[in-house]
Amino acid sequence: MSSKTDIKEIMKSLEDGIANLMNSEQYMKFLKTMSIFHGYSLNNTILIMLQRPDASLVAGYKKWQSIGRQVKKGEKSITILCPCSTKRMEKLLDENGKPVLDEKGKEKKVEVPIPYFRPGNVFDVSQTVGKPVETLSPKELMNSVDGYENFLQSLISISPVKVVFDNIESGAKGIYYPNEEKIVVQTGMSNLQTLKTLVHESAHARLHNNQAMEKTKKNRETEEVEAESVAYCVLSAFGFDTSDYSFPYIAGWSSGKDMKELKESLETIRITSGQFIDEIQKVLEQKAA
């Protein structure tokens, strides 16, 4: 197998598959849904990611009720920072910093807004029930894989950080912890879902570690598109089809139909996928020798 000859065709299938999805009725419904929800600041995006890494669509309790969904009993909220403001009267100053006086010689005062933040609570769509919401949810990969244990050990051996299999309470399938230099993969998943998740998190560890991010700042959308695209390409090269999961996942993180994040990252995805494929192939050949 040659990663150089395979990867070009695989990259083409990746682009075409996502483009077809983005032209579908499903994507139009997804865009309509997204228009209902406002965006969140970078700080709040980080807070959401830390508390619930698998979150895809969040809103407050009453917001969910307004669109016909109800937060399930016992669900733990995600805490964010809500911008607020109060007002107070302050002296009106001139350009020299001196108080401005009125016709009676009294100091003029003006009302000044004082911004501040207070904690707020939101919930992910997965924590609610009710009317259907189009979220481009990827389909769980249920396939078993011939030679699974061999392939899994090969992925673990080329991982740049420690790999741990454990129960992830948030519901995420995998998490990469850059500060701890560790990947945690959810236990009990299918063979293919486990392999796909491990490549995805390993791609994060290669591309989005602390050292790499000091050189090139990337938003979470770009990071997720890159990691899932690498996972799709690598698994495809070994004959595993993850399109039912990867295409909706990538489209959901992309900012629009022009696939800005994907197009700007194609070279990174191509190079990283090729490195993965070559390294896995080398380990598998050594095991077979």
Side-chain angles (χ1 to χ4, degrees), residues 215-239:
K215 298 177 182 177
T216 306
K217 298 293 183 183
K218 295 178 182 178
N219 58 31
R220 192 186 177 195
E221 286 77 12
T222 299
E223 290 180 14
E224 293 302 325
V225 167
E226 288 182 349
E228 189 63 22
S229 296
V230 169
Y232 169 79
C233 292
V234 171
L235 272 296
S236 292
F238 290 93

mmCIF file with all atom_site columns, all heavy atoms in Angstrom, residues 215-239:
data_model
loop_
_atom_site.group_PDB
_atom_site.id
_atom_site.type_symbol
_atom_site.label_atom_id
_atom_site.label_alt_id
_atom_site.label_comp_id
_atom_site.label_asym_id
_atom_site.label_entity_id
_atom_site.label_seq_id
_atom_site.pdbx_PDB_ins_code
_atom_site.Cartn_x
_atom_site.Cartn_y
_atom_site.Cartn_z
_atom_site.occupancy
_atom_site.B_iso_or_equiv
_atom_site.pdbx_formal_charge
_atom_site.auth_seq_id
_atom_site.auth_comp_id
_atom_site.auth_asym_id
_atom_site.auth_atom_id
_atom_site.pdbx_PDB_model_num
ATOM 1   N N   . LYS A 1 215 ? 2.399   27.950 17.928 1.00 0.00 ? 215 LYS A N   1
ATOM 2   C CA  . LYS A 1 215 ? 2.863   28.438 16.626 1.00 0.00 ? 215 LYS A CA  1
ATOM 3   C C   . LYS A 1 215 ? 1.704   28.846 15.727 1.00 0.00 ? 215 LYS A C   1
ATOM 4   O O   . LYS A 1 215 ? 1.772   29.840 15.018 1.00 0.00 ? 215 LYS A O   1
ATOM 5   C CB  . LYS A 1 215 ? 3.688   27.344 15.932 1.00 0.00 ? 215 LYS A CB  1
ATOM 6   C CG  . LYS A 1 215 ? 4.942   26.935 16.695 1.00 0.00 ? 215 LYS A CG  1
ATOM 7   C CD  . LYS A 1 215 ? 5.658   25.798 15.990 1.00 0.00 ? 215 LYS A CD  1
ATOM 8   C CE  . LYS A 1 215 ? 6.882   25.344 16.773 1.00 0.00 ? 215 LYS A CE  1
ATOM 9   N NZ  . LYS A 1 215 ? 7.557   24.183 16.124 1.00 0.00 ? 215 LYS A NZ  1
ATOM 10  N N   . THR A 1 216 ? 0.628   28.049 15.736 1.00 0.00 ? 216 THR A N   1
ATOM 11  C CA  . THR A 1 216 ? -0.514  28.312 14.861 1.00 0.00 ? 216 THR A CA  1
ATOM 12  C C   . THR A 1 216 ? -1.797  28.218 15.660 1.00 0.00 ? 216 THR A C   1
ATOM 13  O O   . THR A 1 216 ? -2.195  27.137 16.095 1.00 0.00 ? 216 THR A O   1
ATOM 14  C CB  . THR A 1 216 ? -0.571  27.297 13.704 1.00 0.00 ? 216 THR A CB  1
ATOM 15  O OG1 . THR A 1 216 ? 0.680   27.285 13.027 1.00 0.00 ? 216 THR A OG1 1
ATOM 16  C CG2 . THR A 1 216 ? -1.674  27.672 12.715 1.00 0.00 ? 216 THR A CG2 1
ATOM 17  N N   . LYS A 1 217 ? -2.457  29.348 15.871 1.00 0.00 ? 217 LYS A N   1
ATOM 18  C CA  . LYS A 1 217 ? -3.722  29.372 16.604 1.00 0.00 ? 217 LYS A CA  1
ATOM 19  C C   . LYS A 1 217 ? -4.849  28.895 15.684 1.00 0.00 ? 217 LYS A C   1
ATOM 20  O O   . LYS A 1 217 ? -5.020  29.402 14.589 1.00 0.00 ? 217 LYS A O   1
ATOM 21  C CB  . LYS A 1 217 ? -4.028  30.783 17.105 1.00 0.00 ? 217 LYS A CB  1
ATOM 22  C CG  . LYS A 1 217 ? -2.996  31.330 18.092 1.00 0.00 ? 217 LYS A CG  1
ATOM 23  C CD  . LYS A 1 217 ? -3.020  30.558 19.396 1.00 0.00 ? 217 LYS A CD  1
ATOM 24  C CE  . LYS A 1 217 ? -2.051  31.154 20.407 1.00 0.00 ? 217 LYS A CE  1
ATOM 25  N NZ  . LYS A 1 217 ? -2.003  30.372 21.662 1.00 0.00 ? 217 LYS A NZ  1
ATOM 26  N N   . LYS A 1 218 ? -5.613  27.918 16.142 1.00 0.00 ? 218 LYS A N   1
ATOM 27  C CA  . LYS A 1 218 ? -6.743  27.402 15.374 1.00 0.00 ? 218 LYS A CA  1
ATOM 28  C C   . LYS A 1 218 ? -7.970  27.385 16.270 1.00 0.00 ? 218 LYS A C   1
ATOM 29  O O   . LYS A 1 218 ? -7.869  27.097 17.468 1.00 0.00 ? 218 LYS A O   1
ATOM 30  C CB  . LYS A 1 218 ? -6.459  25.987 14.861 1.00 0.00 ? 218 LYS A CB  1
ATOM 31  C CG  . LYS A 1 218 ? -5.318  25.905 13.860 1.00 0.00 ? 218 LYS A CG  1
ATOM 32  C CD  . LYS A 1 218 ? -5.054  24.468 13.430 1.00 0.00 ? 218 LYS A CD  1
ATOM 33  C CE  . LYS A 1 218 ? -3.885  24.396 12.456 1.00 0.00 ? 218 LYS A CE  1
ATOM 34  N NZ  . LYS A 1 218 ? -3.578  23.006 12.047 1.00 0.00 ? 218 LYS A NZ  1
ATOM 35  N N   . ASN A 1 219 ? -9.139  27.670 15.685 1.00 0.00 ? 219 ASN A N   1
ATOM 36  C CA  . ASN A 1 219 ? -10.359 27.581 16.478 1.00 0.00 ? 219 ASN A CA  1
ATOM 37  C C   . ASN A 1 219 ? -10.801 26.125 16.580 1.00 0.00 ? 219 ASN A C   1
ATOM 38  O O   . ASN A 1 219 ? -10.274 25.248 15.897 1.00 0.00 ? 219 ASN A O   1
ATOM 39  C CB  . ASN A 1 219 ? -11.475 28.462 15.902 1.00 0.00 ? 219 ASN A CB  1
ATOM 40  C CG  . ASN A 1 219 ? -11.808 28.111 14.458 1.00 0.00 ? 219 ASN A CG  1
ATOM 41  O OD1 . ASN A 1 219 ? -11.687 26.962 14.036 1.00 0.00 ? 219 ASN A OD1 1
ATOM 42  N ND2 . ASN A 1 219 ? -12.237 29.096 13.698 1.00 0.00 ? 219 ASN A ND2 1
ATOM 43  N N   . ARG A 1 220 ? -11.775 25.875 17.444 1.00 0.00 ? 220 ARG A N   1
ATOM 44  C CA  . ARG A 1 220 ? -12.179 24.489 17.682 1.00 0.00 ? 220 ARG A CA  1
ATOM 45  C C   . ARG A 1 220 ? -12.784 23.867 16.425 1.00 0.00 ? 220 ARG A C   1
ATOM 46  O O   . ARG A 1 220 ? -12.633 22.663 16.180 1.00 0.00 ? 220 ARG A O   1
ATOM 47  C CB  . ARG A 1 220 ? -13.196 24.429 18.844 1.00 0.00 ? 220 ARG A CB  1
ATOM 48  C CG  . ARG A 1 220 ? -13.405 22.972 19.295 1.00 0.00 ? 220 ARG A CG  1
ATOM 49  C CD  . ARG A 1 220 ? -14.472 22.821 20.326 1.00 0.00 ? 220 ARG A CD  1
ATOM 50  N NE  . ARG A 1 220 ? -14.673 21.412 20.655 1.00 0.00 ? 220 ARG A NE  1
ATOM 51  C CZ  . ARG A 1 220 ? -15.726 20.942 21.302 1.00 0.00 ? 220 ARG A CZ  1
ATOM 52  N NH1 . ARG A 1 220 ? -16.685 21.748 21.685 1.00 0.00 ? 220 ARG A NH1 1
ATOM 53  N NH2 . ARG A 1 220 ? -15.838 19.653 21.562 1.00 0.00 ? 220 ARG A NH2 1
ATOM 54  N N   . GLU A 1 221 ? -13.494 24.674 15.628 1.00 0.00 ? 221 GLU A N   1
ATOM 55  C CA  . GLU A 1 221 ? -14.094 24.156 14.402 1.00 0.00 ? 221 GLU A CA  1
ATOM 56  C C   . GLU A 1 221 ? -13.022 23.557 13.492 1.00 0.00 ? 221 GLU A C   1
ATOM 57  O O   . GLU A 1 221 ? -13.168 22.436 12.997 1.00 0.00 ? 221 GLU A O   1
ATOM 58  C CB  . GLU A 1 221 ? -14.843 25.273 13.660 1.00 0.00 ? 221 GLU A CB  1
ATOM 59  C CG  . GLU A 1 221 ? -16.155 25.684 14.297 1.00 0.00 ? 221 GLU A CG  1
ATOM 60  C CD  . GLU A 1 221 ? -15.966 26.577 15.520 1.00 0.00 ? 221 GLU A CD  1
ATOM 61  O OE1 . GLU A 1 221 ? -14.819 27.054 15.732 1.00 0.00 ? 221 GLU A OE1 1
ATOM 62  O OE2 . GLU A 1 221 ? -16.942 26.795 16.260 1.00 0.00 ? 221 GLU A OE2 1
ATOM 63  N N   . THR A 1 222 ? -11.933 24.300 13.296 1.00 0.00 ? 222 THR A N   1
ATOM 64  C CA  . THR A 1 222 ? -10.846 23.823 12.431 1.00 0.00 ? 222 THR A CA  1
ATOM 65  C C   . THR A 1 222 ? -10.188 22.581 13.027 1.00 0.00 ? 222 THR A C   1
ATOM 66  O O   . THR A 1 222 ? -9.889  21.620 12.305 1.00 0.00 ? 222 THR A O   1
ATOM 67  C CB  . THR A 1 222 ? -9.795  24.929 12.233 1.00 0.00 ? 222 THR A CB  1
ATOM 68  O OG1 . THR A 1 222 ? -10.413 26.055 11.594 1.00 0.00 ? 222 THR A OG1 1
ATOM 69  C CG2 . THR A 1 222 ? -8.636  24.439 11.370 1.00 0.00 ? 222 THR A CG2 1
ATOM 70  N N   . GLU A 1 223 ? -9.989  22.583 14.332 1.00 0.00 ? 223 GLU A N   1
ATOM 71  C CA  . GLU A 1 223 ? -9.371  21.427 14.988 1.00 0.00 ? 223 GLU A CA  1
ATOM 72  C C   . GLU A 1 223 ? -10.208 20.166 14.774 1.00 0.00 ? 223 GLU A C   1
ATOM 73  O O   . GLU A 1 223 ? -9.668  19.099 14.458 1.00 0.00 ? 223 GLU A O   1
ATOM 74  C CB  . GLU A 1 223 ? -9.227  21.692 16.488 1.00 0.00 ? 223 GLU A CB  1
ATOM 75  C CG  . GLU A 1 223 ? -8.182  22.737 16.833 1.00 0.00 ? 223 GLU A CG  1
ATOM 76  C CD  . GLU A 1 223 ? -8.080  22.950 18.326 1.00 0.00 ? 223 GLU A CD  1
ATOM 77  O OE1 . GLU A 1 223 ? -8.615  22.115 19.092 1.00 0.00 ? 223 GLU A OE1 1
ATOM 78  O OE2 . GLU A 1 223 ? -7.469  23.954 18.742 1.00 0.00 ? 223 GLU A OE2 1
ATOM 79  N N   . GLU A 1 224 ? -11.517 20.274 14.953 1.00 0.00 ? 224 GLU A N   1
ATOM 80  C CA  . GLU A 1 224 ? -12.385 19.102 14.816 1.00 0.00 ? 224 GLU A CA  1
ATOM 81  C C   . GLU A 1 224 ? -12.471 18.619 13.371 1.00 0.00 ? 224 GLU A C   1
ATOM 82  O O   . GLU A 1 224 ? -12.497 17.416 13.098 1.00 0.00 ? 224 GLU A O   1
ATOM 83  C CB  . GLU A 1 224 ? -13.779 19.401 15.369 1.00 0.00 ? 224 GLU A CB  1
ATOM 84  C CG  . GLU A 1 224 ? -13.822 19.618 16.864 1.00 0.00 ? 224 GLU A CG  1
ATOM 85  C CD  . GLU A 1 224 ? -13.285 18.426 17.650 1.00 0.00 ? 224 GLU A CD  1
ATOM 86  O OE1 . GLU A 1 224 ? -13.487 17.276 17.213 1.00 0.00 ? 224 GLU A OE1 1
ATOM 87  O OE2 . GLU A 1 224 ? -12.657 18.647 18.705 1.00 0.00 ? 224 GLU A OE2 1
ATOM 88  N N   . VAL A 1 225 ? -12.543 19.560 12.430 1.00 0.00 ? 225 VAL A N   1
ATOM 89  C CA  . VAL A 1 225 ? -12.577 19.184 11.011 1.00 0.00 ? 225 VAL A CA  1
ATOM 90  C C   . VAL A 1 225 ? -11.288 18.462 10.625 1.00 0.00 ? 225 VAL A C   1
ATOM 91  O O   . VAL A 1 225 ? -11.322 17.443 9.930  1.00 0.00 ? 225 VAL A O   1
ATOM 92  C CB  . VAL A 1 225 ? -12.791 20.431 10.122 1.00 0.00 ? 225 VAL A CB  1
ATOM 93  C CG1 . VAL A 1 225 ? -12.514 20.111 8.649  1.00 0.00 ? 225 VAL A CG1 1
ATOM 94  C CG2 . VAL A 1 225 ? -14.227 20.950 10.274 1.00 0.00 ? 225 VAL A CG2 1
ATOM 95  N N   . GLU A 1 226 ? -10.157 18.959 11.082 1.00 0.00 ? 226 GLU A N   1
ATOM 96  C CA  . GLU A 1 226 ? -8.880  18.319 10.764 1.00 0.00 ? 226 GLU A CA  1
ATOM 97  C C   . GLU A 1 226 ? -8.794  16.918 11.367 1.00 0.00 ? 226 GLU A C   1
ATOM 98  O O   . GLU A 1 226 ? -8.420  15.954 10.677 1.00 0.00 ? 226 GLU A O   1
ATOM 99  C CB  . GLU A 1 226 ? -7.721  19.183 11.286 1.00 0.00 ? 226 GLU A CB  1
ATOM 100 C CG  . GLU A 1 226 ? -7.498  20.451 10.488 1.00 0.00 ? 226 GLU A CG  1
ATOM 101 C CD  . GLU A 1 226 ? -6.324  21.276 10.970 1.00 0.00 ? 226 GLU A CD  1
ATOM 102 O OE1 . GLU A 1 226 ? -5.786  20.972 12.071 1.00 0.00 ? 226 GLU A OE1 1
ATOM 103 O OE2 . GLU A 1 226 ? -5.927  22.223 10.282 1.00 0.00 ? 226 GLU A OE2 1
ATOM 104 N N   . ALA A 1 227 ? -9.148  16.787 12.643 1.00 0.00 ? 227 ALA A N   1
ATOM 105 C CA  . ALA A 1 227 ? -9.019  15.493 13.320 1.00 0.00 ? 227 ALA A CA  1
ATOM 106 C C   . ALA A 1 227 ? -9.927  14.439 12.699 1.00 0.00 ? 227 ALA A C   1
ATOM 107 O O   . ALA A 1 227 ? -9.498  13.301 12.452 1.00 0.00 ? 227 ALA A O   1
ATOM 108 C CB  . ALA A 1 227 ? -9.330  15.654 14.812 1.00 0.00 ? 227 ALA A CB  1
ATOM 109 N N   . GLU A 1 228 ? -11.188 14.809 12.420 1.00 0.00 ? 228 GLU A N   1
ATOM 110 C CA  . GLU A 1 228 ? -12.112 13.822 11.857 1.00 0.00 ? 228 GLU A CA  1
ATOM 111 C C   . GLU A 1 228 ? -11.770 13.497 10.406 1.00 0.00 ? 228 GLU A C   1
ATOM 112 O O   . GLU A 1 228 ? -11.955 12.365 9.959  1.00 0.00 ? 228 GLU A O   1
ATOM 113 C CB  . GLU A 1 228 ? -13.551 14.327 11.963 1.00 0.00 ? 228 GLU A CB  1
ATOM 114 C CG  . GLU A 1 228 ? -14.603 13.280 11.607 1.00 0.00 ? 228 GLU A CG  1
ATOM 115 C CD  . GLU A 1 228 ? -14.592 12.077 12.552 1.00 0.00 ? 228 GLU A CD  1
ATOM 116 O OE1 . GLU A 1 228 ? -14.103 12.199 13.699 1.00 0.00 ? 228 GLU A OE1 1
ATOM 117 O OE2 . GLU A 1 228 ? -15.073 10.994 12.142 1.00 0.00 ? 228 GLU A OE2 1
ATOM 118 N N   . SER A 1 229 ? -11.260 14.478 9.666  1.00 0.00 ? 229 SER A N   1
ATOM 119 C CA  . SER A 1 229 ? -10.857 14.235 8.278  1.00 0.00 ? 229 SER A CA  1
ATOM 120 C C   . SER A 1 229 ? -9.681  13.265 8.216  1.00 0.00 ? 229 SER A C   1
ATOM 121 O O   . SER A 1 229 ? -9.637  12.372 7.372  1.00 0.00 ? 229 SER A O   1
ATOM 122 C CB  . SER A 1 229 ? -10.484 15.557 7.594  1.00 0.00 ? 229 SER A CB  1
ATOM 123 O OG  . SER A 1 229 ? -11.597 16.418 7.508  1.00 0.00 ? 229 SER A OG  1
ATOM 124 N N   . VAL A 1 230 ? -8.735  13.445 9.121  1.00 0.00 ? 230 VAL A N   1
ATOM 125 C CA  . VAL A 1 230 ? -7.597  12.516 9.201  1.00 0.00 ? 230 VAL A CA  1
ATOM 126 C C   . VAL A 1 230 ? -8.100  11.117 9.543  1.00 0.00 ? 230 VAL A C   1
ATOM 127 O O   . VAL A 1 230 ? -7.671  10.126 8.939  1.00 0.00 ? 230 VAL A O   1
ATOM 128 C CB  . VAL A 1 230 ? -6.566  12.998 10.246 1.00 0.00 ? 230 VAL A CB  1
ATOM 129 C CG1 . VAL A 1 230 ? -5.535  11.897 10.527 1.00 0.00 ? 230 VAL A CG1 1
ATOM 130 C CG2 . VAL A 1 230 ? -5.869  14.259 9.762  1.00 0.00 ? 230 VAL A CG2 1
ATOM 131 N N   . ALA A 1 231 ? -9.027  11.020 10.491 1.00 0.00 ? 231 ALA A N   1
ATOM 132 C CA  . ALA A 1 231 ? -9.561  9.712  10.884 1.00 0.00 ? 231 ALA A CA  1
ATOM 133 C C   . ALA A 1 231 ? -10.234 9.029  9.695  1.00 0.00 ? 231 ALA A C   1
ATOM 134 O O   . ALA A 1 231 ? -10.030 7.828  9.463  1.00 0.00 ? 231 ALA A O   1
ATOM 135 C CB  . ALA A 1 231 ? -10.561 9.885  12.030 1.00 0.00 ? 231 ALA A CB  1
ATOM 136 N N   . TYR A 1 232 ? -11.027 9.778  8.951  1.00 0.00 ? 232 TYR A N   1
ATOM 137 C CA  . TYR A 1 232 ? -11.695 9.213  7.772  1.00 0.00 ? 232 TYR A CA  1
ATOM 138 C C   . TYR A 1 232 ? -10.668 8.708  6.756  1.00 0.00 ? 232 TYR A C   1
ATOM 139 O O   . TYR A 1 232 ? -10.779 7.584  6.245  1.00 0.00 ? 232 TYR A O   1
ATOM 140 C CB  . TYR A 1 232 ? -12.602 10.250 7.114  1.00 0.00 ? 232 TYR A CB  1
ATOM 141 C CG  . TYR A 1 232 ? -13.119 9.814  5.759  1.00 0.00 ? 232 TYR A CG  1
ATOM 142 C CD1 . TYR A 1 232 ? -14.183 8.917  5.648  1.00 0.00 ? 232 TYR A CD1 1
ATOM 143 C CD2 . TYR A 1 232 ? -12.524 10.273 4.582  1.00 0.00 ? 232 TYR A CD2 1
ATOM 144 C CE1 . TYR A 1 232 ? -14.635 8.490  4.423  1.00 0.00 ? 232 TYR A CE1 1
ATOM 145 C CE2 . TYR A 1 232 ? -12.976 9.851  3.346  1.00 0.00 ? 232 TYR A CE2 1
ATOM 146 C CZ  . TYR A 1 232 ? -14.026 8.961  3.269  1.00 0.00 ? 232 TYR A CZ  1
ATOM 147 O OH  . TYR A 1 232 ? -14.470 8.534  2.040  1.00 0.00 ? 232 TYR A OH  1
ATOM 148 N N   . CYS A 1 233 ? -9.674  9.535  6.448  1.00 0.00 ? 233 CYS A N   1
ATOM 149 C CA  . CYS A 1 233 ? -8.678  9.176  5.430  1.00 0.00 ? 233 CYS A CA  1
ATOM 150 C C   . CYS A 1 233 ? -7.864  7.954  5.840  1.00 0.00 ? 233 CYS A C   1
ATOM 151 O O   . CYS A 1 233 ? -7.632  7.045  5.029  1.00 0.00 ? 233 CYS A O   1
ATOM 152 C CB  . CYS A 1 233 ? -7.743  10.366 5.166  1.00 0.00 ? 233 CYS A CB  1
ATOM 153 S SG  . CYS A 1 233 ? -8.534  11.767 4.348  1.00 0.00 ? 233 CYS A SG  1
ATOM 154 N N   . VAL A 1 234 ? -7.424  7.923  7.081  1.00 0.00 ? 234 VAL A N   1
ATOM 155 C CA  . VAL A 1 234 ? -6.588  6.816  7.551  1.00 0.00 ? 234 VAL A CA  1
ATOM 156 C C   . VAL A 1 234 ? -7.367  5.505  7.534  1.00 0.00 ? 234 VAL A C   1
ATOM 157 O O   . VAL A 1 234 ? -6.895  4.485  7.027  1.00 0.00 ? 234 VAL A O   1
ATOM 158 C CB  . VAL A 1 234 ? -6.054  7.107  8.973  1.00 0.00 ? 234 VAL A CB  1
ATOM 159 C CG1 . VAL A 1 234 ? -5.370  5.865  9.551  1.00 0.00 ? 234 VAL A CG1 1
ATOM 160 C CG2 . VAL A 1 234 ? -5.085  8.285  8.946  1.00 0.00 ? 234 VAL A CG2 1
ATOM 161 N N   . LEU A 1 235 ? -8.572  5.519  8.083  1.00 0.00 ? 235 LEU A N   1
ATOM 162 C CA  . LEU A 1 235 ? -9.367  4.286  8.106  1.00 0.00 ? 235 LEU A CA  1
ATOM 163 C C   . LEU A 1 235 ? -9.761  3.846  6.695  1.00 0.00 ? 235 LEU A C   1
ATOM 164 O O   . LEU A 1 235 ? -9.803  2.655  6.400  1.00 0.00 ? 235 LEU A O   1
ATOM 165 C CB  . LEU A 1 235 ? -10.602 4.473  8.982  1.00 0.00 ? 235 LEU A CB  1
ATOM 166 C CG  . LEU A 1 235 ? -10.461 4.174  10.493 1.00 0.00 ? 235 LEU A CG  1
ATOM 167 C CD1 . LEU A 1 235 ? -10.144 2.719  10.725 1.00 0.00 ? 235 LEU A CD1 1
ATOM 168 C CD2 . LEU A 1 235 ? -9.409  5.052  11.160 1.00 0.00 ? 235 LEU A CD2 1
ATOM 169 N N   . SER A 1 236 ? -10.035 4.816  5.822  1.00 0.00 ? 236 SER A N   1
ATOM 170 C CA  . SER A 1 236 ? -10.373 4.488  4.432  1.00 0.00 ? 236 SER A CA  1
ATOM 171 C C   . SER A 1 236 ? -9.224  3.787  3.727  1.00 0.00 ? 236 SER A C   1
ATOM 172 O O   . SER A 1 236 ? -9.424  2.873  2.940  1.00 0.00 ? 236 SER A O   1
ATOM 173 C CB  . SER A 1 236 ? -10.745 5.756  3.653  1.00 0.00 ? 236 SER A CB  1
ATOM 174 O OG  . SER A 1 236 ? -11.956 6.302  4.118  1.00 0.00 ? 236 SER A OG  1
ATOM 175 N N   . ALA A 1 237 ? -8.007  4.220  4.022  1.00 0.00 ? 237 ALA A N   1
ATOM 176 C CA  . ALA A 1 237 ? -6.830  3.629  3.384  1.00 0.00 ? 237 ALA A CA  1
ATOM 177 C C   . ALA A 1 237 ? -6.687  2.152  3.719  1.00 0.00 ? 237 ALA A C   1
ATOM 178 O O   . ALA A 1 237 ? -6.112  1.378  2.946  1.00 0.00 ? 237 ALA A O   1
ATOM 179 C CB  . ALA A 1 237 ? -5.569  4.386  3.816  1.00 0.00 ? 237 ALA A CB  1
ATOM 180 N N   . PHE A 1 238 ? -7.235  1.732  4.851  1.00 0.00 ? 238 PHE A N   1
ATOM 181 C CA  . PHE A 1 238 ? -7.159  0.322  5.252  1.00 0.00 ? 238 PHE A CA  1
ATOM 182 C C   . PHE A 1 238 ? -8.483  -0.402 5.033  1.00 0.00 ? 238 PHE A C   1
ATOM 183 O O   . PHE A 1 238 ? -8.713  -1.495 5.565  1.00 0.00 ? 238 PHE A O   1
ATOM 184 C CB  . PHE A 1 238 ? -6.718  0.222  6.711  1.00 0.00 ? 238 PHE A CB  1
ATOM 185 C CG  . PHE A 1 238 ? -5.281  0.617  6.919  1.00 0.00 ? 238 PHE A CG  1
ATOM 186 C CD1 . PHE A 1 238 ? -4.955  1.924  7.249  1.00 0.00 ? 238 PHE A CD1 1
ATOM 187 C CD2 . PHE A 1 238 ? -4.255  -0.296 6.746  1.00 0.00 ? 238 PHE A CD2 1
ATOM 188 C CE1 . PHE A 1 238 ? -3.630  2.308  7.416  1.00 0.00 ? 238 PHE A CE1 1
ATOM 189 C CE2 . PHE A 1 238 ? -2.927  0.069  6.908  1.00 0.00 ? 238 PHE A CE2 1
ATOM 190 C CZ  . PHE A 1 238 ? -2.609  1.384  7.241  1.00 0.00 ? 238 PHE A CZ  1
ATOM 191 N N   . GLY A 1 239 ? -9.357  0.225  4.238  1.00 0.00 ? 239 GLY A N   1
ATOM 192 C CA  . GLY A 1 239 ? -10.588 -0.442 3.820  1.00 0.00 ? 239 GLY A CA  1
ATOM 193 C C   . GLY A 1 239 ? -11.766 -0.303 4.756  1.00 0.00 ? 239 GLY A C   1
ATOM 194 O O   . GLY A 1 239 ? -12.760 -1.023 4.612  1.00 0.00 ? 239 GLY A O   1
#
